[in-house]
Amino acid sequence: MQTTPAGALELKPGTDYANVTSDDVMGNGQSQYAAISANGRYVAFWSRASNLAPGDTDDVSDVYVKDLRTGKVHWASDLADGMDKGAPYTAPSISADGMRVAFPTLDRAGAHVYDVRTGRTQLVSDGTYAGFSSANAPAISGNGRYVTFTARPTQDTGALPAIRLRDLARGTGEWIDDPSAGAEQRVATPSLSHDGRHIAYLASDPGTGDPEDSKTHVYALDRRTDKRVRIDPGCEDDPAEYGVGDPVMGRDGRHVVFRFKCRTLQPRGTNDTGDVFLKDLRSGALRHVLGPKPQFATHTGRLSADGRHIVFVAAEEREPRGPLQVIYLLDLRTGRTDMVTARPDGTVNQRPASDPTVDAHGRTVAYDAVPRDLLGESSTAGDRQVFVTRLR
């Protein structure tokens, strides 16, 4: 009889830890910022644990990749020069098959890609200066071939950051020229479609003298046709409230998820701090993504590869604690909304859960939360761990 390896997750509904080895050893440090592969097999995450991989004995945060089928944990950030000191600020980026993971170093100086098959880690930020943060963290395409981030050439200290694209198959890098960008355009947070053809990003151009151009907007660029399209809608008569951020390109290059704030948006404005929106570039349709309690803001929207499901966080106010971050999964076809971060008794989590990502078909969600709250286990309040919830 075939048995499930220790540390592996059986593919059945429920919530389990991801930061545990094949020998059932739980990570002895905080883990957070998860990213799940489209096939639902691999989860990449950051952890301060020193017992998840042989040879990693320090308390510096590292990137690991968990194989949910076998239970094996891969040490992705085993670099010759180490990871240096610092705190992670964004999730790793993982390919659709889970075989490649892109991540920045903690000192913000370099970006690397780890190959699960070969165990090799490759520098992809050579010849650039990025100062990595959540605004320009490396993002990998679903097919694992391309990595993008914003940076400037090392030798050109006066240049503005531009979109950098690395082709891992050819071993080349290029700067992405925006056909309608001005000389003073600022860009941030690029992300890629599965094939690397389409890029979603934030941009503003204060150099045009046009107040509208000086605002930050979300754009989608087709690298093959050089066509650029603005994604966020107009925000008439509400300039003080306007805001946009967190764009993520969908797998097919047709959909873009982003967060938008506009109190005058029709037919109803957004929440005070903004909400998640989904734009269909083909039909032009714009969908406002809200939780079961629509008065509360939503953020961190992530679309499944099949385009049918979107996972997001709702900031539900709970007196006297303030906003409570609850993770939901919405079926865009049926309108059904499932709470991902339910406790064992079915009630909502009482401590914030964050940074969800979803597999290709909306079956499995990876995120971080506090074990004592989510599973009723003993832990310190700040001891966040990475979880995987399989909904069906």
Side-chain angles (χ1 to χ4, degrees), residues 326 328 338-350 373-374:
V326 184
Y328 293 99
D338 291 308
M339 181 170 57
V340 176
T341 48
R343 298 192 294 181
D345 61 1
T347 59
V348 66
N349 56 293
Q350 294 299 304
D373 172 52
L374 200 65

Side-chain angles (χ1 to χ4, degrees), residues 9 14-19 31-36 42-46 68 91 300 302 311-313 325-329 338-344 349 351-359 363-371 373-375 384-391:
L9 298 183
T15 297
D16 291 277
Y17 291 100
N19 52 307
S31 299
Q32 60 187 133
Y33 294 127
I36 193 169
Y42 297 90
V43 176
F45 59 92
W46 287 92
L68 299 179
T300 318
R302 300 294 182 262
V311 66
F312 61 94
V313 179
Q325 312 297 317
V326 184
I327 298 175
Y328 293 99
L329 182 75
D338 291 308
M339 181 170 57
V340 176
T341 48
R343 298 192 294 181
N349 56 293
R351 296 194 64 85
S354 57
D355 297 294
T357 60
V358 64
D359 70 355
R363 298 190 180 105
T364 309
V365 178
Y367 56 95
D368 60 71
V370 177
D373 172 52
L374 200 65
L375 298 180
R384 302 186 71 81
Q385 305 294 343
V386 171
F387 292 94
V388 173
T389 295
R390 186 172 177 83
L391 298 166

